[in-house]
Amino acid sequence: MAEKVRCAVVGLGRVGYSHAENLATKIKGAEVVAVAAARQERAAAVARELGVDKSTNRPDDVFLDPQIDAVIIATPTSHHRDMIKKAAQNGKHIFVEKPITQTAEEADEATRIVHENQVLCQVGFMRRFDPAYAEAKKRVAAGDIGKPIYFKGVSRDPGSPPPDYIAHSGGIFLDLSIHDYDIARYLLGAEIASVTAFGNVLAHPFMKECNDVDQAVTYLTFDSGASGDVESSRNAFYGYDIRGEVIGTEGSIQIGSLRHHDLKILTPAGKTHDIIPDFPTKFKDAFLLQMIHFIECIRDKQKPSVTETDAKAALLIAEAATKSYRTGATVEIASGVCQ
Amino acid sequence: MAEKVRCAVVGLGRVGYSHAENLATKIKGAEVVAVAAARQERAAAVARELGVDKSTNRPDDVFLDPQIDAVIIATPTSHHRDMIKKAAQNGKHIFVEKPITQTAEEADEATRIVHENQVLCQVGFMRRFDPAYAEAKKRVAAGDIGKPIYFKGVSRDPGSPPPDYIAHSGGIFLDLSIHDYDIARYLLGAEIASVTAFGNVLAHPFMKECNDVDQAVTYLTFDSGASGDVESSRNAFYGYDIRGEVIGTEGSIQIGSLRHHDLKILTPAGKTHDIIPDFPTKFKDAFLLQMIHFIECIRDKQKPSVTETDAKAALLIAEAATKSYRTGATVEIASGVCQ
Amino acid sequence: MAEKVRCAVVGLGRVGYSHAENLATKIKGAEVVAVAAARQERAAAVARELGVDKSTNRPDDVFLDPQIDAVIIATPTSHHRDMIKKAAQNGKHIFVEKPITQTAEEADEATRIVHENQVLCQVGFMRRFDPAYAEAKKRVAAGDIGKPIYFKGVSRDPGSPPPDYIAHSGGIFLDLSIHDYDIARYLLGAEIASVTAFGNVLAHPFMKECNDVDQAVTYLTFDSGASGDVESSRNAFYGYDIRGEVIGTEGSIQIGSLRHHDLKILTPAGKTHDIIPDFPTKFKDAFLLQMIHFIECIRDKQKPSVTETDAKAALLIAEAATKSYRTGATVEIASGVCQ
Amino acid sequence: MAEKVRCAVVGLGRVGYSHAENLATKIKGAEVVAVAAARQERAAAVARELGVDKSTNRPDDVFLDPQIDAVIIATPTSHHRDMIKKAAQNGKHIFVEKPITQTAEEADEATRIVHENQVLCQVGFMRRFDPAYAEAKKRVAAGDIGKPIYFKGVSRDPGSPPPDYIAHSGGIFLDLSIHDYDIARYLLGAEIASVTAFGNVLAHPFMKECNDVDQAVTYLTFDSGASGDVESSRNAFYGYDIRGEVIGTEGSIQIGSLRHHDLKILTPAGKTHDIIPDFPTKFKDAFLLQMIHFIECIRDKQKPSVTETDAKAALLIAEAATKSYRTGATVEIASGVCQ
């Protein structure tokens, strides 16, 4: 076997930790040589747990380290632009969480630098690696449902992240709906042409202070003539509820279910299965598979299947949705902009 | 047992025929003494089949017949106003299909005359009688999901009715989405405060000539603070797809499935159940139960559980949705108007 | 319409009452002219409720009444033989609950008298009228799963009937498993050639005093070469659980589910649907459809689709299963005996 | 991290290969230092693919190699006894596929030698590691369904292995039903006290020449008073169908479903999900998790959760079932023998 890809994980929140763990314990083609977090204790604890040599709270220890082949960026979005720049300029391949940057303008800059430095850049739209979504893509592409004419997405978080997170999340369209915008483009093989967005605070009053909502709907039109709608919420008190549907001229595909264990309990109260509680459970395989893909792309010197270009397209749509929600008007997305 | 309620069915299309058949063959408390259709042959054929004495193509034969206790009006909507008037003025109880009239103005007039003549009036929102929706209402009312904060409705027809029907249907919001507007009000126990509506022609180009769409989305806000969305389409080429969902602060309720026979076929191609093909199959029990309720209300001299007032409320919302779709703007519904 | 079939219902337990109610309130081609029960008060109460003129505790009042066209016999099995005889000899058509008689010998006698008097005789194997089982029969017969090679049946009661009922039930094989023996013959279009039966008392100790069990398994072989197994129990504390499966050389069919309302409640405890609680709920449609069939057969002078011959076949198998359980040995069923 | 466990995999059929792949590519605590197969080319090819240094067709190259900590034995059962002996005598920890040996006598010998040499021995009952079965065990143990009184198992292979395999498999009870015997003991926490077994050749005539059947039923009694039945077959032409059910005095648990991708295709032909095609798909996680457990037990010097004792118990039951099938009589299992 070829040598291992030496990785550093920057940002050790729930998602960053999951990336570190996958790389350290499940992907033999990779090794984690450094972890970085804002708090040194956190970095040190994760390093200890996963058997990683180096831990730091100074990102430059990672970006300037010539031993490191690839960085996984899972920090708050406000740091993405600078970190992508620094990583690219130091010749490191990049895996970056969504959204790629805070604004489309920043994304343009990041994209330019990635291209100039000829590093690989993969973006954390893990749904594309979920076996069900991947199979759906195949089935739609094979024409199993005819021509796709409608996309329906539901993404409901089991409660809200803490106010702190919400305040820096960029809002529900940028933080949550963006997954559906990406997967809609992917499944339909079409670009979103306009968005009209709505929002409301239904269960988490603090959202108002954050200038955010806990429930949103986006109505979509596509350049293919298709339409769609995306419901996003923080209010699924019963669990983590992610669903997709593509309606075609000859049939339809439904993606996703709530079932966690493949088990039903039957009592006089009814027949019950437990519900997927959170995204790490729902997308366990997808998280692993996207990271395997990243490592394989580096080893095979191949472009990842989901790149900075996809990231920018989704970001533009999320920005348009945010604007639509604020102005009450439909926002068109200039054709060609999402490429 | 008391004497039977003598009914006449006016309009013998698919829905009217179903009412006639239920009354004639399954409801012992009722008898069908007359049937009327635009074409005398149709009326005569149905009369023969169901053992009804009198058939006619002149509605007045029914409305002026003193032997008749109740009329079931299932004609095109354009006749509803006049027929309701005539029925009420002749002291007949009325079951009328949705929408109650073509316009809210007409509905006001019809309502007034119904009240003046003190006849009972039930409107054909049969979903309320579907055992699943009825159970959902009970569960929501019992607080099983906490406070309801979101309604999600899907109503997909398995293809479009013919152009002829569409041309006189009043448009998708009045003809199809109206069922979801009614059931949303019912399940949430709240009034709809504003609507924003979208539409598109995705699979039936003739819709454009009819100034109609085959796919629509309505975003709703309620006076209780809740929100909701309603998707309506003529494009479910796989079957008849009706679903509802009420999200509450402590849980959620999902109503409806596609399964027709309680049977699965397993082959190497997969595990398959057949899909409910059409509304008569889906709402067989609901159609019968609503008619049983109508007959019982007449015999017990009780107000039906879904009346001309509900009909007018749903009609106002459908009108507002149509206006929103045409203007691109959100339409508010004046508070108090829906009572 | 032709004249109504004048029916009498003898035996007003849960099943008898259900027949009376269906005939009195839902089947326009029939009328109930008399009801009989062991206790006159019960008969009178049911008569009052259903608007029946005559009530009695003397079965002869029914069997000798020349006004009566058909009798529904839903008494304890020990009375069946005599009642069938009396009904047949008085020219009345017969609907009789399963098992047709207590023994195969009695069944022979009853069958002979039915034939001699040329009355129609239908037996209460209502599962054949359940839409799912009926559809399964069609699919198997159409070859959708190839050649059927295995039958699997599960019939679990939600607890046991009272000791009093068990004591006179003839035992679990005669009382409960018999439904699966009948439906197995029906679905496979083959005769059962041998049975080996097991039983155990798992949850209702009183069963031992009744010389009965609350859990049983029967292993079946068919004259077609197929095999099968049937599990029967009184121990489904979660609800009424009836399932069937036919495995063929090209696929399989699964019949039945536990879902009651078409509704799911989602809470942090999981996703739950309620469970069919009892046989009247599960087989509501089947009970009605079998009675409609009986009335139509009388009016059309046609042999019912499930007759005294089927009843005797199932009874023979149940007797063989009982014998096998008692002796511990496989019991062969003489070929040709089940016709 | 501690040093890696150096493993050798002996036998590179479908199961052996899967173990080798898991150890080589997914379990960071292990490395595969040698692979052995009857055909050197096979061993060499697998070694090349997985980056393993050493390949051989002489098992002794593995058993005598002092570099090797643990061996995974996935050869035909006839070699198990000798290989276990040799491995144990050379101080190697052992993972061995089921059945542990061909006969209970051999199992006694193997067990003795394992104990004498104080090596760890884990047996390939991977179902115990399947997340659904593991969760079921937890729920039963927690009393969620009351006292368990019935076990129902279904194991249907999607067609038969080739005649060659069947001829050396020991028969369906030893090869297939044994998984259900083990999981029944595990879930109920009780020992099987007697078995009565049946078999038939329904779809694969060659079975007769192998003195085997393609369809079997075992009726079980447990020392706890519970009962159960196990259906095993090679005739599920629609896919791989594994189900379990535990009925308790307060509810029931159903384990397993056929759904492969979390995806449904809807067309006029119905709503379809694809079916799990084979055991590597169904038990992918279970295979990995059992191997992770084995490696962890070695590193932590802990007894595996499923050992040679469990293996012998299941083997005794399978032998008893085979004898019952051949003699037509119930076979009791001496109490205490399964410990």
Side-chain angles (χ1 to χ4, degrees):
Chain A
M1 276 200 287
E3 234 166 83
K4 296 190 174 192
V5 176
R6 286 155 310 180
C7 299
V9 178
V10 184
L12 294 169
R14 207 158 49 150
V15 172
Y17 175 80
S18 155
H19 293 322
E21 192 192 19
N22 277 331
L23 288 163
T25 66
K26 293 182 190 152
I27 305 178
K28 286 215 166 172
E31 65 186 318
V32 181
V33 296
V35 289
R39 289 170 43 248
Q40 172 61 28
E41 307 80 58
R42 170 71 178 155
V46 171
R48 224 170 12 250
E49 183 192 334
L50 300 177
V52 173
D53 285 340
K54 186 169 163 180
S55 67
T56 179
N57 63 348
R58 285 176 313 236
D60 274 1
D61 288 354
V62 162
F63 292 115
L64 304 181
D65 181 345
Q67 302 295 325
I68 289 171
D69 301 319
V71 292
I72 285 78
I73 302 174
T75 58
T77 311
S78 52
H79 300 113
H80 285 192
R81 196 251 322 249
D82 290 347
M83 288 188 172
I84 292 170
K85 266 173 84 168
K86 211 165 267 186
Q89 285 164 348
N90 286 284
K92 294 179 191 346
H93 301 300
I94 299 162
F95 179 98
V96 62
E97 270 307 316
K98 44 60 46 182
I100 183 168
T101 52
Q102 286 180 305
T103 65
E105 211 168 47
E106 285 184 8
D108 274 335
E109 192 187 343
T111 299
R112 194 173 38 76
I113 296 170
V114 162
H115 291 179
E116 279 172 13
N117 290 280
Q118 296 186 312
V119 293
L120 301 179
C121 180
Q122 182 175 331
V123 182
F125 288 127
M126 77 290 180
R127 285 195 199 175
R128 295 190 181 207
F129 295 89
D130 177 77
Y133 279 99
E135 179 75 10
K137 172 69 181 170
K138 262 193 245 166
R139 305 294 293 259
V140 173
D144 289 9
I145 57 163
K147 183 176 181 281
I149 56 175
Y150 202 79
F151 171 81
K152 191 170 191 83
V154 168
S155 292
R156 296 184 192 150
D157 273 342
S160 175
D164 210 43
Y165 177 96
I166 291 294
H168 298 91
S169 70
I172 197 167
F173 303 101
L174 214 69
D175 186 59
L176 181 54
S177 310
I178 197 168
H179 280 294
D180 283 287
Y181 304 150
D182 177 65
I183 211 77
R185 292 177 65 236
Y186 178 63
L187 290 175
L188 266 63
E191 292 300 339
I192 290 170
S194 77
V195 296
T196 323
F198 304 88
N200 209 342
V201 178
L202 299 177
H204 299 89
F206 78 80
M207 290 280 170
K208 289 180 186 164
E209 291 156 47
C210 299
N211 202 19
D212 202 356
V213 295
D214 57 16
Q215 210 288 328
V217 167
T218 317
Y219 180 75
L220 308 171
T221 67
F222 293 83
D223 62 3
S224 64
S227 297
D229 69 77
V230 167
E231 185 212 318
S232 314
S233 104
R234 312 289 193 182
N235 307 332
F237 299 105
Y238 52 89
Y240 185 59
D241 190 353
I242 305 295
R243 297 177 241 164
E245 211 171 344
V246 183
I247 303 177
T249 49
E250 293 169 25
S252 184
I253 290 185
Q254 290 180 348
I255 307 151
S257 86
L258 288 161
R259 199 182 64 204
H260 183 194
H261 289 99
D262 190 359
L263 195 80
K264 289 123 193 170
I265 305 283
L266 297 86
T267 70
K271 181 171 178 177
T272 301
H273 65 71
D274 57 2
I275 295 177
I276 293 167
D278 49 30
F279 77 81
T281 307
K282 168 83 182 177
F283 289 117
K284 186 163 95 70
D285 287 352
F287 271 96
L288 178 58
L289 291 168
Q290 76 172 350
M291 208 44 78
I292 289 174
H293 178 71
F294 179 56
I295 298 302
E296 282 177 354
C297 284
I298 293 173
R299 297 180 77 159
D300 300 350
K301 301 189 183 10
Q302 286 203 330
K303 215 175 156 61
S305 63
V306 51
T307 66
E308 64 281 0
T309 312
D310 296 302
K312 199 189 115 191
L315 180 57
L316 272 169
I317 299 159
E319 282 188 344
T322 307
K323 188 174 161 194
S324 170
Y325 161 61
R326 296 225 167 106
T327 63
T330 297
V331 176
E332 314 278 334
I333 293 157
S335 134
V337 158
C338 285
Q339 270 117 49
Chain B
M1 275 200 287
E3 234 165 86
K4 295 191 174 192
V5 176
R6 285 155 308 177
C7 301
V9 178
V10 184
L12 293 170
R14 206 156 50 149
V15 171
Y17 175 79
S18 155
H19 293 322
E21 191 192 20
N22 276 333
L23 288 164
T25 67
K26 294 182 190 152
I27 304 177
K28 287 215 166 172
E31 65 185 318
V32 181
V33 296
V35 289
R39 291 170 42 248
Q40 171 62 29
E41 306 80 56
R42 172 67 178 157
V46 171
R48 224 168 13 249
E49 184 192 334
L50 300 177
V52 173
D53 284 340
K54 184 169 166 181
S55 67
T56 179
N57 64 348
R58 284 178 314 240
D60 275 1
D61 289 356
V62 161
F63 293 114
L64 304 181
D65 181 345
Q67 302 295 325
I68 289 171
D69 301 318
V71 291
I72 285 81
I73 302 174
T75 58
T77 311
S78 52
H79 301 113
H80 284 191
R81 196 246 326 243
D82 290 348
M83 288 187 170
I84 292 170
K85 269 174 82 169
K86 211 164 267 185
Q89 286 164 347
N90 286 284
K92 295 178 189 344
H93 301 300
I94 299 163
F95 180 98
V96 61
E97 270 306 315
K98 41 59 50 184
I100 184 169
T101 53
Q102 286 180 306
T103 65
E105 214 169 45
E106 285 185 7
D108 275 335
E109 193 187 341
T111 298
R112 195 175 36 78
I113 296 171
V114 162
H115 292 181
E116 281 173 12
N117 290 281
Q118 295 185 311
V119 293
L120 301 179
C121 179
Q122 183 175 331
V123 181
F125 288 126
M126 78 290 180
R127 286 194 199 175
R128 295 190 181 206
F129 295 90
D130 177 77
Y133 280 98
E135 179 75 9
K137 172 68 181 172
K138 260 191 246 166
R139 305 294 291 259
V140 173
D144 288 9
I145 58 163
K147 184 178 181 278
I149 56 175
Y150 203 78
F151 172 81
K152 191 170 192 82
V154 168
S155 293
R156 296 183 192 150
D157 273 342
S160 176
D164 212 42
Y165 177 95
I166 292 294
H168 298 91
S169 70
I172 196 166
F173 302 102
L174 214 68
D175 186 59
L176 182 53
S177 310
I178 198 169
H179 280 295
D180 283 287
Y181 304 149
D182 177 65
I183 210 75
R185 292 177 65 237
Y186 179 63
L187 289 175
L188 267 64
E191 292 301 338
I192 290 170
S194 77
V195 297
T196 323
F198 304 89
N200 209 342
V201 178
L202 298 177
H204 299 89
F206 79 80
M207 290 281 170
K208 288 180 186 164
E209 291 156 45
C210 299
N211 203 18
D212 202 356
V213 295
D214 57 16
Q215 210 288 328
V217 167
T218 316
Y219 181 75
L220 309 171
T221 66
F222 293 82
D223 62 3
S224 63
S227 297
D229 70 76
V230 168
E231 186 213 317
S232 315
S233 106
R234 312 290 194 180
N235 306 332
F237 299 106
Y238 51 89
Y240 184 59
D241 190 353
I242 305 295
R243 297 177 241 165
E245 212 170 342
V246 182
I247 303 177
T249 49
E250 292 169 25
S252 183
I253 290 186
Q254 291 179 348
I255 308 151
S257 89
L258 288 161
R259 199 181 65 202
H260 184 192
H261 289 99
D262 190 0
L263 194 80
K264 290 123 192 170
I265 305 284
L266 297 86
T267 70
K271 181 171 178 178
T272 301
H273 64 72
D274 57 2
I275 295 176
I276 294 167
D278 49 29
F279 76 80
T281 308
K282 170 82 182 177
F283 289 116
K284 186 162 95 65
D285 287 352
F287 271 96
L288 178 58
L289 291 168
Q290 76 173 348
M291 208 47 77
I292 289 174
H293 178 71
F294 179 56
I295 298 302
E296 283 177 353
C297 284
I298 294 173
R299 297 179 76 158
D300 300 350
K301 301 190 186 4
Q302 287 205 328
K303 214 174 157 61
S305 62
V306 49
T307 66
E308 64 281 358
T309 312
D310 297 301
K312 198 189 117 192
L315 180 58
L316 271 170
I317 300 158
E319 282 188 346
T322 307
K323 185 173 163 196
S324 169
Y325 160 63
R326 296 225 167 108
T327 63
T330 297
V331 176
E332 314 278 336
I333 292 157
S335 135
V337 158
C338 287
Q339 271 116 46
Chain C
M1 275 201 288
E3 235 167 84
K4 296 192 173 188
V5 176
R6 286 155 309 179
C7 301
V9 178
V10 184
L12 294 170
R14 206 155 53 147
V15 172
Y17 175 79
S18 156
H19 293 323
E21 192 191 21
N22 276 332
L23 288 164
T25 67
K26 294 182 190 154
I27 304 176
K28 287 216 166 170
E31 64 185 321
V32 181
V33 296
V35 290
R39 288 170 42 249
Q40 171 61 29
E41 306 80 57
R42 171 68 178 156
V46 171
R48 224 171 11 251
E49 183 192 335
L50 299 177
V52 173
D53 285 341
K54 184 169 166 180
S55 67
T56 179
N57 64 349
R58 286 178 313 237
D60 275 1
D61 288 354
V62 163
F63 292 115
L64 304 181
D65 181 345
Q67 302 294 324
I68 289 171
D69 301 318
V71 291
I72 285 78
I73 302 173
T75 57
T77 312
S78 51
H79 301 113
H80 284 192
R81 196 248 324 247
D82 290 347
M83 288 188 172
I84 292 171
K85 268 174 82 169
K86 209 164 268 187
Q89 286 163 347
N90 286 284
K92 294 180 191 341
H93 300 300
I94 299 162
F95 179 98
V96 60
E97 270 307 317
K98 41 61 48 182
I100 184 168
T101 52
Q102 285 180 307
T103 65
E105 212 170 46
E106 284 184 8
D108 274 335
E109 191 187 343
T111 299
R112 193 173 37 76
I113 296 170
V114 163
H115 292 180
E116 280 172 13
N117 290 281
Q118 296 186 312
V119 294
L120 301 179
C121 179
Q122 183 175 331
V123 181
F125 288 126
M126 77 292 180
R127 285 195 199 174
R128 295 190 181 207
F129 295 89
D130 177 76
Y133 280 98
E135 179 74 9
K137 171 70 180 172
K138 261 192 244 168
R139 305 294 292 259
V140 173
D144 289 9
I145 57 163
K147 182 177 183 281
I149 56 176
Y150 202 79
F151 172 81
K152 192 172 190 82
V154 168
S155 292
R156 296 183 192 150
D157 273 343
S160 175
D164 210 42
Y165 177 95
I166 292 294
H168 297 91
S169 69
I172 197 167
F173 302 102
L174 213 71
D175 185 59
L176 182 53
S177 311
I178 198 168
H179 280 295
D180 282 287
Y181 304 149
D182 177 65
I183 210 76
R185 292 177 65 237
Y186 178 63
L187 290 176
L188 266 63
E191 293 300 338
I192 291 170
S194 77
V195 297
T196 323
F198 305 89
N200 209 341
V201 178
L202 299 177
H204 300 89
F206 78 79
M207 290 280 171
K208 288 180 186 164
E209 291 157 47
C210 299
N211 202 18
D212 201 356
V213 295
D214 58 15
Q215 210 289 329
V217 167
T218 317
Y219 181 74
L220 309 171
T221 67
F222 293 82
D223 62 3
S224 64
S227 298
D229 69 77
V230 167
E231 185 212 318
S232 315
S233 104
R234 312 289 194 182
N235 306 332
F237 299 105
Y238 52 89
Y240 184 59
D241 190 353
I242 305 295
R243 298 177 239 164
E245 212 170 344
V246 183
I247 302 177
T249 50
E250 292 169 25
S252 183
I253 290 186
Q254 291 179 349
I255 307 151
S257 87
L258 288 161
R259 200 181 63 204
H260 184 193
H261 289 99
D262 189 0
L263 194 80
K264 289 123 192 170
I265 304 285
L266 298 85
T267 71
K271 183 171 176 176
T272 301
H273 65 71
D274 57 2
I275 295 177
I276 294 167
D278 49 30
F279 77 80
T281 307
K282 169 82 181 178
F283 289 117
K284 185 164 94 69
D285 286 352
F287 270 97
L288 178 57
L289 290 169
Q290 76 173 349
M291 208 44 79
I292 289 175
H293 178 71
F294 178 56
I295 298 302
E296 282 178 354
C297 283
I298 294 173
R299 298 180 75 159
D300 301 349
K301 301 189 184 4
Q302 287 204 329
K303 215 175 157 59
S305 63
V306 50
T307 66
E308 65 281 359
T309 312
D310 297 302
K312 198 188 117 191
L315 179 58
L316 272 170
I317 300 159
E319 282 188 344
T322 307
K323 186 173 163 196
S324 169
Y325 161 62
R326 297 226 166 107
T327 63
T330 296
V331 176
E332 314 278 335
I333 292 157
S335 135
V337 158
C338 286
Q339 270 120 46
Chain D
M1 275 201 286
E3 235 166 85
K4 295 190 173 191
V5 176
R6 285 155 310 178
C7 301
V9 178
V10 184
L12 294 170
R14 207 155 53 149
V15 171
Y17 174 80
S18 156
H19 293 324
E21 191 193 20
N22 276 332
L23 287 164
T25 68
K26 292 181 191 153
I27 303 177
K28 287 214 165 173
E31 66 186 317
V32 181
V33 296
V35 289
R39 289 169 44 247
Q40 171 62 28
E41 307 80 55
R42 172 67 178 157
V46 170
R48 222 165 19 245
E49 184 193 333
L50 300 177
V52 173
D53 285 338
K54 184 170 164 181
S55 68
T56 180
N57 64 347
R58 286 179 311 241
D60 275 1
D61 289 354
V62 161
F63 293 114
L64 305 180
D65 181 346
Q67 301 295 325
I68 289 170
D69 303 318
V71 292
I72 285 80
I73 301 174
T75 59
T77 311
S78 52
H79 300 113
H80 284 190
R81 196 250 324 247
D82 290 348
M83 288 187 171
I84 292 170
K85 268 173 82 169
K86 210 165 268 184
Q89 286 163 346
N90 286 284
K92 295 179 190 343
H93 302 300
I94 298 163
F95 179 98
V96 61
E97 271 307 316
K98 41 61 49 183
I100 184 169
T101 53
Q102 286 179 306
T103 64
E105 212 169 47
E106 285 184 8
D108 274 336
E109 192 188 342
T111 298
R112 193 174 37 78
I113 297 169
V114 162
H115 291 180
E116 281 172 11
N117 290 280
Q118 295 185 314
V119 293
L120 302 180
C121 179
Q122 183 176 330
V123 182
F125 287 126
M126 77 291 177
R127 285 193 199 175
R128 295 190 181 206
F129 295 89
D130 178 77
Y133 280 98
E135 179 75 9
K137 171 70 181 171
K138 260 191 247 168
R139 306 293 292 260
V140 173
D144 288 9
I145 57 164
K147 183 177 182 280
I149 54 174
Y150 202 79
F151 172 81
K152 191 171 192 80
V154 169
S155 292
R156 296 183 191 150
D157 273 342
S160 175
D164 211 43
Y165 178 95
I166 291 294
H168 298 90
S169 70
I172 197 166
F173 302 102
L174 214 68
D175 187 59
L176 183 53
S177 310
I178 198 169
H179 279 295
D180 283 288
Y181 304 149
D182 178 65
I183 211 76
R185 292 178 65 237
Y186 179 62
L187 290 175
L188 266 63
E191 293 300 337
I192 291 170
S194 76
V195 296
T196 323
F198 304 89
N200 208 341
V201 177
L202 298 177
H204 299 91
F206 78 80
M207 290 281 171
K208 288 180 187 165
E209 291 157 46
C210 299
N211 202 17
D212 202 356
V213 294
D214 58 15
Q215 211 289 329
V217 166
T218 316
Y219 181 75
L220 309 170
T221 66
F222 294 82
D223 63 2
S224 64
S227 298
D229 70 77
V230 167
E231 184 213 319
S232 315
S233 105
R234 312 290 194 181
N235 306 332
F237 299 106
Y238 52 88
Y240 184 59
D241 190 353
I242 305 295
R243 296 177 242 165
E245 212 169 343
V246 183
I247 303 178
T249 49
E250 292 169 25
S252 182
I253 289 186
Q254 292 180 347
I255 307 151
S257 88
L258 289 160
R259 199 182 66 205
H260 183 194
H261 289 99
D262 190 359
L263 194 80
K264 289 123 193 171
I265 304 285
L266 298 85
T267 70
K271 182 170 178 179
T272 301
H273 64 71
D274 57 1
I275 294 176
I276 293 167
D278 48 31
F279 77 80
T281 307
K282 170 81 181 177
F283 289 117
K284 186 163 95 68
D285 286 352
F287 271 96
L288 178 58
L289 291 168
Q290 77 172 348
M291 207 44 79
I292 289 174
H293 178 70
F294 179 56
I295 298 302
E296 282 177 355
C297 284
I298 294 173
R299 298 179 76 158
D300 300 349
K301 299 189 184 8
Q302 286 205 328
K303 215 175 156 62
S305 63
V306 50
T307 66
E308 64 281 358
T309 312
D310 297 301
K312 199 189 116 192
L315 180 57
L316 273 170
I317 300 159
E319 282 188 345
T322 307
K323 186 174 162 196
S324 169
Y325 161 62
R326 296 226 167 107
T327 62
T330 297
V331 176
E332 314 278 336
I333 293 158
S335 137
V337 159
C338 286
Q339 270 117 49

